[in-house]
Amino acid sequence: MRSMLQTNARFMIYASDAPSRKRLKIVGSAVSRIADSLEVETELSGGKKLLSIYVYYRSDAGEEIPVYCDWGKSWEEDEVYQAIRNMMFVLSFHPRHLDLRSIRRKVCVSA
């Protein structure tokens, strides 16, 4: 088990059973990169009837914070990675998510 910033924090990827495999692979790779840099786990959840791929950050307290939606985008992995990284950086300043303050330096350096 790898060291994590927070015990139960993780990135959740929600997709329907039949999303575009190429899009899911691109989004999954981007999420894995940011998760590795922040030392948190990722989890893929399928089976829901979704029109897009959604990525949430699940805090240690179990709150799910939306950080990315793939709706209508044809972005490459680096663009998806940058979008999630930027969202995590912005969230680290929100008073409701003070537990994310510790990731600011890692998010800035992982560019």
Side-chain angles (χ1 to χ4, degrees):
M1 175 178 238
R2 65 181 167 173
S3 167
M4 294 191 299
L5 289 174
Q6 300 172 7
T7 329
N8 296 317
R10 65 186 56 236
F11 283 98
M12 303 294 298
I13 303 171
Y14 292 104
S16 61
D17 286 336
S20 164
R21 291 194 189 276
K22 180 181 177 186
R23 292 304 312 151
L24 187 55
K25 182 178 179 181
I26 289 169
V27 172
S29 293
V31 172
S32 291
R33 281 176 53 196
I34 193 74
D36 287 346
S37 70
L38 298 178
E39 300 176 345
V40 298
E41 299 293 324
T42 61
E43 185 175 324
L44 176 62
S45 179
K48 297 181 180 184
K49 293 185 178 186
L50 302 172
L51 297 175
S52 186
I53 300 169
Y54 298 90
V55 179
Y56 286 78
Y57 176 78
R58 181 181 288 169
S59 70
D60 197 34
E63 178 184 13
E64 289 193 357
I65 306 160
V67 294
Y68 180 78
C69 174
D70 199 53
W71 183 258
K73 297 178 182 140
S74 59
W75 290 358
E76 295 299 321
E77 180 182 331
D78 286 338
E79 294 169 303
V80 174
Y81 171 81
Q82 289 295 331
I84 296 170
R85 185 184 73 89
N86 291 344
M87 181 58 76
M88 294 303 293
F89 183 74
V90 169
L91 285 171
S92 74
F93 288 96
H94 194 284
R96 188 171 173 191
H97 307 296
L98 295 177
D99 57 326
L100 294 177
R101 281 188 294 183
S102 64
I103 70 164
R104 280 186 207 149
R105 181 165 294 196
K106 287 190 177 212
V107 169
C108 288
V109 175
S110 67

